Amino acid sequence: MACNVPRQVGATYKGLWTKVKKNKQHRQAGYTKKRYKGLDQAPHYTSPTLTYNYGRDYGFKTDQQVSVLTLTGRIVLPYVGYAPHVALLKNSQTLGAAKLWFDKPHKQFYLLVSIALTLPDPTPALYTRVAGVDVGQRNTAVVADVDETSEFYSGKEVLHQANHFARQRKRLQHKGTRSATRRLILLAGRERRLKQNTNHVVSKQIAATHPHSLVGLENLTDIRTRTTPRKTGRRASPKQRKANAVRSKWSFAELHSMIAYKAALNGSLTVKIDAHYTSQACPTCGHTSPDNRPHKGLLFVCQNCQYTLHADLVGARNIALRTLLIRQDWISTGLLSTTPDVSDREAEAARLKRYAELRWSSDANVTL
């Protein structure tokens, strides 16, 4: 246990230094003027967490019991958990390190165990379907399959509740009394848990409805820095500041990671594809223009062929088409590219040219 303490502290400082370097790059690029202050003081650990090594600090026994090491010796305790996860623990899987975590509101301890699953080597024959997932804020996710099926997962209610929690937290912080501080402790993490639970539910449904599929996800890495800089601080209006706050809380990376590992458990595979112009390109004629989305709304109207559809569904269909192209390249070359290289401008231009030749046909389904 003593050996794991410096590992945890070292990992914390590694994350802080990463944020410092990112902040320096953003200040040089003009994205922000604020200096990151995470290293001005030593990090303070408040939650009673502890890292255990399997076989040395903890182990599982019969009758659903776990043996854990404490400062006063080893103890054996019964445990309960989610039935599918408990079944994985009982099978012959590779167990890794675990973290003992204390839930302060419920006053309960949780043992978070990492399990390494052995999956078969991916081949094109294992994935008989192709789907594309478009993530957003008004719609948490929109899924389009090449067999003309589609699914919408609305994020309107979650966004409304999250904004309510943010306003409530702001009022309590401005008040600053003891009772307000106690209330803030009760509200701590409620907005985060709400979005995390929503991402869990949405990713579980997507993985369950698309087994044995090649699922395409947009490559949204550094999307906030790659988009047009917006007005911030005093230069921005209250409406712009509110919009910036909403965008900064967009948890698309968490949703992508949940879809990835849950899809793997259902026999599917996720790949990253180019996110350029997925909501501006017409899937039927290939015409790409910002005018295809009047007033940047949810209605897509192609200025060339007058094709009309929901803008998020258009994005999901374009992602599905690009995923199908990746699968075809995989079959012909035997190599699977799970993430496109966005640093090479010439390669990116060549990919966009190929994407412009893709066509979505509503008369006949795509055969694999």
Side-chain angles (χ1 to χ4, degrees):
M1 291 190 295
C3 294
N4 285 327
V5 172
R7 295 194 185 110
Q8 184 176 0
V9 176
T12 302
Y13 274 102
K14 184 178 179 180
L16 292 175
W17 275 112
T18 301
K19 293 181 179 180
V20 169
K21 294 177 182 177
K22 284 286 185 181
N23 176 255
K24 182 179 179 180
Q25 295 175 0
H26 291 173
R27 281 189 294 151
Q28 291 177 351
Y31 296 133
T32 182
K33 293 182 179 179
K34 294 183 179 179
R35 185 182 65 84
Y36 181 69
K37 301 179 180 179
L39 284 175
D40 289 356
Q41 295 180 353
H44 180 62
Y45 296 92
T46 56
S47 58
T49 60
L50 182 64
T51 302
Y52 284 136
N53 294 327
Y54 178 67
R56 178 176 298 175
D57 302 325
Y58 83 100
F60 291 98
K61 295 183 175 295
T62 57
D63 299 330
Q64 203 160 318
Q65 291 182 331
V66 60
S67 172
V68 294
L69 184 64
T70 66
L71 295 178
T72 57
R74 187 176 290 272
I75 58 176
V76 178
L77 300 171
Y79 69 89
V80 295
Y82 183 47
H85 294 171
V86 174
L88 290 176
L89 291 175
K90 293 181 179 179
N91 295 333
S92 57
Q93 305 290 341
T94 303
L95 300 180
K99 179 173 287 187
L100 186 67
W101 178 69
F102 180 66
D103 185 11
K104 188 175 181 180
H106 299 89
K107 297 182 179 180
Q108 292 179 344
F109 281 96
Y110 291 87
L111 188 66
L112 310 181
V113 182
S114 59
I115 305 177
L117 302 179
T118 303
L119 301 176
D121 294 333
T123 59
L126 295 177
Y127 312 106
T128 58
R129 301 173 59 187
V130 171
V133 181
D134 180 80
V135 297
Q137 292 177 298
R138 286 174 290 193
N139 287 303
T140 303
V142 178
V143 187
D145 204 326
V146 294
D147 61 359
E148 292 291 330
T149 61
S150 60
E151 301 151 17
F152 284 79
Y153 300 92
S154 176
K156 183 178 180 180
E157 182 179 355
V158 176
L159 187 61
H160 173 72
Q161 294 181 2
N163 290 337
H164 169 70
F165 292 147
R167 289 192 299 267
Q168 191 174 9
R169 185 172 60 250
K170 183 178 179 180
R171 288 195 298 266
L172 292 173
Q173 289 174 344
H174 181 72
K175 193 172 183 180
T177 60
R178 289 187 176 180
S179 59
T181 303
R182 288 194 296 267
R183 184 62 181 170
L184 278 171
I185 295 175
L186 295 177
L187 294 177
R190 183 171 294 184
E191 177 185 356
R192 177 86 286 276
R193 292 193 300 271
L194 172 66
K195 293 185 178 181
Q196 187 180 43
N197 178 72
T198 303
N199 290 338
H200 268 297
V201 173
V202 171
S203 60
K204 181 180 179 180
Q205 293 177 356
I206 293 175
T209 54
H210 295 83
H212 307 290
S213 301
L214 189 63
V215 182
L217 305 174
E218 292 178 289
N219 183 24
L220 299 177
T221 305
D222 297 329
I223 185 63
R224 297 185 181 94
T225 58
R226 288 192 282 113
T227 54
T228 305
R230 305 176 184 88
K231 293 183 178 179
T232 58
R234 295 182 179 179
R235 298 177 300 172
S237 63
K239 184 178 180 180
Q240 289 173 329
R241 286 197 294 268
K242 182 179 178 180
N244 292 340
V246 171
R247 291 187 184 95
S248 65
K249 297 176 183 178
W250 185 24
S251 57
F252 64 86
E254 182 182 69
L255 179 58
H256 277 180
S257 63
M258 290 182 180
I259 293 175
Y261 85 82
K262 292 182 181 180
L265 294 178
N266 285 269
S268 299
L269 179 67
T270 58
V271 293
K272 291 293 184 70
I273 57 95
D274 285 318
H276 297 84
Y277 311 114
T278 53
S279 61
Q280 298 180 7
C282 179
T284 58
C285 70
H287 177 68
T288 303
S289 174
D291 297 333
N292 290 343
R293 293 186 63 178
H295 308 291
K296 298 182 180 180
L298 292 178
L299 181 63
F300 181 92
V301 181
C302 180
Q303 303 301 311
N304 183 41
C305 66
Q306 303 304 315
Y307 179 73
T308 304
L309 196 65
H310 195 285
D312 291 342
L313 182 55
V314 168
R317 287 188 173 183
N318 284 324
I319 296 171
L321 287 175
R322 298 181 183 186
T323 307
L324 179 61
L325 185 62
I326 290 178
R327 187 182 186 275
Q328 293 174 349
D329 293 340
W330 187 13
I331 295 175
S332 60
T333 63
L335 299 176
L336 174 62
S337 176
T338 57
T339 305
D341 183 13
V342 297
S343 60
D344 191 348
R345 297 298 180 183
E346 295 182 359
E348 178 183 330
R351 287 196 304 268
L352 293 177
K353 185 177 180 180
R354 293 187 65 191
Y355 296 154
E357 300 174 356
L358 298 174
R359 298 292 183 269
W360 183 278
S361 176
S362 58
D363 298 331
N365 295 339
V366 179
T367 57
L368 301 178

